[in-house]
Amino acid sequence: AFVPSGLAFVPSGLAFVPSGLVFVSSPYPLTPTSTRPSILSSVPPDDDAHTVDDLWSTAGADAAKFLPLSPSPSLSAEEVLVAVFRGLQFVDVPDLSAGLVRCYAFMDLACKKLVTGHGNVPEERTLAKFVGHAAHSAKILPFLGADRLAFGETSRIPGTPTRGEIVTMPLRVTPKGKAEEQVFMVRLQKQRRPPLAGAYMVTDLIDVETVWSVSRPLN
């Protein structure tokens, strides 16, 4: 079973302790050090509506217009995270269901099946089927039109000769119209084989509350 980096499971009663989760308080948190990322290279520098200081400030429907729609070796893990989850927050920008179409592009098959509960046979793996199921997925719905999205700190497991680097990040999301946050862990892995060699793909999206509930002692 996948245990996200930074999440500790204590043997006594199997109590779930999210002690390793680190978040910043700003609604659009900033990375400690950053430069203007390539993901924003097409943003008009003279347009105040699109001006951002760094990757994590990318927010709003205007900025969402410039998020990439497909994986590329030129995108960092952080850029992929912003593209996927800001894209879900503004799911219909720049086109209807664009955020779900982006998820289809950036998630590997196992993650698509995890999110939708479908995909065991080829006819269930089409874009249309994914978009239809993902729009009602408990793992996706909190992000759609979310009031607030906060990125945590990334943790990394270096690549080996047989697999690419693994990157894990906690996300806090406040669903639209709700007061309580939900916490998710998302995992990316750098691909080693063509046609996506060198690109990061989303391999896991885990609702921390679900993990917590199944880890509580039965008594």
Side-chain angles (χ1 to χ4, degrees), residues 187-202:
R187 182 170 68 169
L188 310 180
Q189 185 167 336
K190 182 177 281 190
Q191 303 302 293
R192 301 296 296 268
R193 297 180 179 179
L196 295 174
Y200 287 96
M201 298 286 286
V202 181

Side-chain angles (χ1 to χ4, degrees), residues 104 107-140:
Y104 182 83
M107 290 180 174
D108 70 3
L109 177 59
C111 191
K112 291 185 182 103
K113 291 166 67 174
L114 174 70
V115 165
T116 66
H118 296 80
N120 288 327
V121 294
E123 53 265 32
E124 294 180 346
R125 300 172 187 170
T126 65
L127 172 59
K129 292 281 189 181
F130 175 84
V131 169
H133 293 304
H136 304 285
S137 167
K139 294 181 182 294
I140 296 294

Side-chain angles (χ1 to χ4, degrees), residues 88-89 91 100 115 132-147 173-176 178 182 184 205:
L88 287 175
Q89 188 178 18
V91 64
L100 297 174
V115 165
H133 293 304
H136 304 285
S137 167
K139 294 181 182 294
I140 296 294
L141 279 173
F143 295 97
L144 302 183
D147 290 335
V173 58
T174 304
K176 185 176 181 180
K178 296 186 178 181
Q182 288 181 246
F184 287 81
L205 180 59

